[in-house]
Amino acid sequence: MKNFIEKFTEYFKTAPVAAAHAPGRLEVLGNHTDYNEGLVLSCAVGQKTRFAVTPAPDKSSCNVIDFRSGEVMSFSLEDMDNPPPANGAAYIIGMMNEMRKRGAVFTGFDAAVESDVPLSAGMSSSAALETAAGLALGKAFGFELSRAEWARAGQGVENNFLGLKSGLLDQFSSIFGQKDAIIMSDFRTIEVIDTLPLQPGYVFVVINSMKKHNLVDSDYNIRRENCESAAAKLAAVYPQVKTLRDVTPNMLEDAADKLSFMELSRARHVVNECFRVKQAAEILRAGDMEKFGQLLYDSHESSRVNFENSTPELDYLVEISRSIPGCIGARLSGGGFGGITIHLVRDSEAETYCQRVCAAYKAQTGIAAEHFICSIGSGAETVLFPV
């Protein structure tokens, strides 16, 4: 952050009045359960997005320099209701719109953004940008929200401005993440209900398949519609059902004939994912990492067969993880349809493991994968206050 502030000051010839950083996240277990009001295990990562801002003399013009790409994104406050631009400014404008709905008032500003969260990889670079920009702009313009409401504002960017029917997981994890711990979130009550330390001696390795992860252009929204229609049909059989979160595996199979093949497949994934999250919490408390790793493999198989949000590249990365020493579990993470796999690896073997997986992946696909050994980081925070 210190280097980032120095670059900001050098570029704009003035110091920022507010800055914030927000981490990317890993969905550890609980795939596509958040918008079904289910349970998710997730963690913030050490990779962060930083955003700093200062008011500008022009009261309607906003300029944002991205220090990673060198791109300058400019827009007017008068144009914020227009369709989103095809760059990172869409997330900033979207967050400003959500803040305006909640009472925020803006004038023109100069801002900078910098991030080491991988783009389009399933580590939620978009939520990190939304959160960091929102917190910094809120401080700069004297606007505050509760942490849960900041998460809802970020979700509003995706739902209302970009047309993606995503849940709260990404923003929630970025805001509520706790250092060195996996958080268990309940997306019916919208709260963190448990904190589960990862056993010493293990790390999460992220392998980026380098296949573009673009949920807006994917079947994400269709998957959500399948889940909602399945829940509606099951509610006719079980009146207590509001979402798939309320369905047990036995209930689902007993009413399988009420659903289409597609609805049943999607529901099997979500219902059993919620069950796996509950199992995982007990297993992590007991410290049985081998069993926890097997749940990751089970989750991926369900993504591949039932939810069909995997890809050949993701499947191959998970498959080769089984044959390389050090790994005890792996799965796709995030929305799917490309992006990343996460691998639970013994930390003493992590570097060698990364090299071997990436070598095997390139030999099979011709693609040079990115890899990250992830620390579990803390949640978003404002780090520089108005002066």
Side-chain angles (χ1 to χ4, degrees):
M1 178 60 81
K2 180 181 178 182
N3 291 338
F4 172 62
I5 297 302
E6 289 174 353
K7 284 193 281 187
F8 180 103
T9 304
E10 180 180 357
Y11 185 87
F12 288 111
K13 309 305 180 188
T14 186
V17 300
H21 64 207
R25 67 95 184 91
L26 293 181
E27 172 202 279
V28 176
L29 201 61
N31 187 246
H32 287 262
T33 58
D34 59 340
Y35 56 78
N36 289 289
E37 297 187 354
L39 305 174
V40 185
L41 296 181
S42 65
C43 64
V45 297
Q47 289 86 353
K48 299 179 184 295
T49 294
R50 293 163 285 279
F51 193 96
V53 60
T54 191
D58 187 325
K59 297 302 181 182
S60 64
S61 179
C62 305
N63 303 286
V64 184
I65 172 70
D66 185 339
F67 286 140
R68 175 153 64 177
S69 67
E71 178 183 15
V72 177
M73 300 170 283
S74 298
F75 56 91
S76 171
L77 295 177
E78 299 171 359
D79 299 330
M80 288 177 60
D81 294 326
N82 292 338
N87 57 29
Y91 299 98
I92 301 167
I93 296 169
M95 178 56 86
M96 293 172 66
N97 279 332
E98 290 297 316
M99 293 167 68
R100 286 198 307 174
K101 291 177 186 177
R102 292 161 171 82
V105 177
F106 300 100
T107 61
F109 59 81
D110 292 324
V113 61
E114 183 177 71
S115 181
D116 54 8
V117 182
L119 300 173
S120 298
M123 292 176 69
S124 200
S125 58
S126 59
L129 175 55
E130 293 156 4
T131 302
L135 290 174
L137 289 166
K139 278 295 180 185
F141 291 99
F143 178 75
E144 295 184 2
L145 292 173
S146 69
R147 292 171 73 80
E149 194 60 25
W150 278 119
R152 291 188 183 96
Q155 181 191 26
V157 177
E158 313 277 348
N159 294 176
N160 304 325
F161 197 53
L162 300 177
L164 175 64
K165 296 180 182 179
S166 60
L168 270 168
L169 171 65
D170 297 351
Q171 296 81 9
F172 211 74
S173 302
S174 184
I175 290 170
F176 287 97
Q178 298 187 28
K179 187 170 177 57
D180 298 326
I182 297 170
I183 61 172
M184 184 178 182
S185 302
D186 185 326
F187 285 98
R188 172 160 290 165
T189 58
I190 317 298
E191 61 182 335
V192 176
I193 61 173
D194 209 345
T195 302
L196 303 158
L198 190 66
Q199 288 293 311
Y202 295 89
V203 293
F204 285 114
V205 164
V206 171
I207 308 291
N208 186 353
S209 71
M210 309 304 290
K211 301 296 287 187
K212 187 170 175 60
H213 172 93
N214 190 334
L215 292 182
V216 177
D217 295 332
S218 75
D219 289 332
Y220 187 106
N221 290 352
I222 297 173
R223 296 298 189 279
R224 180 164 183 167
E225 290 166 6
N226 293 154
C227 292
E228 290 171 349
S229 62
K233 291 181 180 179
L234 290 167
V237 181
Y238 307 109
Q240 72 271 30
V241 170
K242 296 179 180 178
T243 69
L244 290 180
R245 182 248 176 83
D246 302 310
V247 182
T248 67
N250 287 340
M251 288 166 62
L252 178 61
E253 298 308 321
D254 287 345
D257 61 338
K258 306 298 183 184
L259 307 180
S260 70
F261 174 81
M262 201 69 72
E263 290 167 338
L264 180 59
S265 294
R266 307 316 184 220
R268 277 179 174 149
H269 178 67
V270 171
V271 168
N272 285 289
E273 276 289 280
C274 286
F275 185 66
R276 277 188 283 271
V277 170
K278 293 177 183 178
Q279 285 182 297
E282 296 176 3
I283 288 168
L284 284 170
R285 290 189 198 98
D288 192 334
M289 297 303 288
E290 294 288 339
K291 284 187 178 179
F292 179 59
Q294 184 57 50
L295 289 179
L296 302 186
Y297 281 131
D298 293 345
S299 174
H300 184 82
E301 184 64 8
S302 181
S303 285
R304 187 183 72 83
V305 174
N306 293 321
F307 217 68
E308 296 183 281
N309 61 328
S310 190
T311 64
E313 292 82 9
L314 295 174
D315 293 341
Y316 183 66
L317 284 168
V318 171
E319 186 58 33
I320 60 178
S321 76
R322 298 177 182 272
S323 62
I324 299 176
C327 183
I328 62 171
R331 61 178 290 265
L332 67 80
S333 179
F337 309 105
I340 64 168
T341 51
I342 62 168
H343 305 239
L344 184 59
V345 179
R346 296 181 183 88
D347 59 4
S348 60
E349 301 176 79
E351 287 287 356
T352 301
Y353 177 81
C354 290
Q355 294 169 10
R356 293 186 64 181
V357 169
C358 290
Y361 183 69
K362 186 170 185 179
Q364 176 72 16
T365 66
I367 300 170
E370 288 182 331
H371 70 271
F372 309 90
I373 299 174
C374 288
S375 59
I376 299 181
S378 55
E381 60 182 328
T382 305
V383 295
L384 184 68
F385 294 84
V387 293

